[in-house]
Amino acid sequence: MEKLIITVAPVGAEVTRKEQPYLPVTPEEIAAEAAAAREAGAAVIHLHVRDAAGNPTQDVEVFARTIELIKKETDLIIQVSTGGAVGMTAEERLQPLALGPEMASLTCGTCNFGDDVFYNPPPLLETFARRMQEAGVKPEIEVFEAGMIQNAMALVQKGLLKPPLHFDFVLGVPGAAPATPRQLLYLAESLPPDATWSVAGVGRHQLPMANLAIILGGHVRVGFEDNIYYRRGELARSNAQLVSRVVRLAEELGRPPATPDEARSMLHLPPRT
Ligand code: KMH
Ligand code: ZN
């Protein structure tokens, strides 16, 4: 089987410092966390940023500063979030595309998200996909519900997404698809044959979903965005700690971690310049 691409999602938009004291918030903290995760075996960073008060923001200046620091310290593939936080406008969410990142997330549909609605109707998807295409940014298609795969394929039909596609299944969000083996198998088997995929299990589902992905030939996302615990009742001390555990398991199962450059090739990204 192929090497394992590990994505670290160290910040997210929902977790607070109160819940996870080690949550990186400033550009400097996020870059340090990114460097440690790279050292541990991550190849991709799924990036959200926060404002001075620690609240989620899509501000282009904060993204620019954070990306500059991450690039100074690592060769990670930087994937900016265009999901942002629920309630943000489309234009607000799209801001980091202006920085020309290698990748960006593209959630391909609307779903419940806890007590909120993560709103991504078809016209918004078309705008987001078009803007990514114009900016030369490779989308990672975020799938919170099975129907989002069909929505992505509709964008392919419209010429707004170009195969081979890369998907990330976000499983276990309250209100969306559950993190069960059956669900993951169904989603993985529903993809076009040339697609690649990873899974981000939420909360206690992060570790079992990661294990399943390693065995099934998928890839893995870990980090505080989706899960703040190392095990039940014990907070993780860093994102790197979560990455290291996946590396150990993957090595045992014959899937050593891909370097960022190896991941670029596997994801059909141009080589780093
Ligand atoms: N924060 C969630 C509402 C993404 O980054 O593209 C959306 C999210 C997905 O995190
Ligand atoms: Zn995200």
Side-chain angles (χ1 to χ4, degrees):
M1 268 199 267
E2 276 188 317
K3 285 192 173 180
L4 183 75
I5 301 172
I6 301 173
T7 297
V8 65
V11 186
E14 290 81 25
V15 177
T16 64
R17 266 267 167 85
K18 215 168 159 193
E19 295 162 331
Q20 170 44 281
Y22 299 108
L23 181 75
V25 168
T26 66
E28 290 74 16
E29 288 167 353
I30 295 171
E33 197 75 358
R38 163 69 179 102
E39 190 65 26
V44 181
I45 181 166
H46 170 76
L47 186 63
H48 288 254
V49 295
R50 302 292 177 100
D51 65 17
N55 296 316
T57 179
Q58 293 291 98
D59 184 274
V60 75
E61 297 303 329
V62 185
F63 264 103
R65 172 85 184 126
T66 309
I67 289 172
E68 181 194 342
L69 292 174
I70 294 172
K71 279 189 169 167
K72 208 180 273 174
E73 295 191 33
T74 81
D75 56 352
L76 284 166
I77 298 170
I78 298 177
Q79 177 196 106
V80 300
S81 168
T82 68
V86 287
M88 288 178 173
T89 66
E91 282 307 319
E92 202 178 349
R93 287 167 53 182
L94 283 165
Q95 288 176 92
L97 285 190
L99 301 167
E102 286 183 275
M103 294 184 79
S105 59
L106 172 60
T107 298
C108 273
T110 297
C111 62
N112 284 348
F113 193 87
D115 289 339
D116 297 311
V117 175
F118 185 26
Y119 189 66
N120 298 290
L124 180 147
L125 300 187
E126 290 185 19
T127 302
F128 276 40
R130 185 173 290 111
R131 296 274 280 273
M132 287 182 200
Q133 205 167 57
E134 286 164 2
V137 175
K138 174 155 179 130
E140 173 179 275
I141 297 154
E142 309 296 324
V143 170
F144 290 69
E145 293 274 15
M148 294 190 190
I149 296 175
Q150 275 61 49
N151 294 342
M153 298 322 292
L155 293 173
V156 172
Q157 288 301 316
K158 290 181 173 146
L160 295 170
L161 287 180
K162 196 171 156 303
L165 305 180
H166 179 62
F167 291 82
D168 179 48
F169 306 131
V170 186
L171 300 183
V173 169
T180 59
R182 207 157 99 108
Q183 183 73 212
L184 181 61
L185 272 175
Y186 174 74
L187 293 171
E189 288 171 0
S190 301
L191 298 184
D194 61 352
T196 47
W197 61 271
S198 63
V199 66
V202 172
R204 68 182 189 282
H205 303 295
Q206 190 164 81
L207 185 58
M209 286 294 114
N211 274 301
L212 263 176
I214 294 167
I215 293 164
L216 293 173
H219 302 281
V220 171
R221 177 171 113 179
V222 291
F224 292 169
E225 174 162 347
D226 309 311
N227 164 47
I228 57 175
Y229 289 97
Y230 189 73
R231 56 172 72 89
R232 189 180 166 89
E234 181 185 326
L235 286 170
R237 289 189 307 279
S238 68
N239 284 278
Q241 190 191 16
L242 298 170
V243 172
S244 294
R245 174 165 59 184
V246 171
V247 170
R248 290 196 300 277
L249 293 163
E251 297 265 17
E252 284 294 326
L253 292 164
R255 296 199 59 199
T259 65
D261 281 342
E262 288 168 340
R264 282 182 177 91
S265 151
M266 292 158 72
L267 295 172
H268 308 279
L269 288 165
R272 197 160 40 107
T273 45

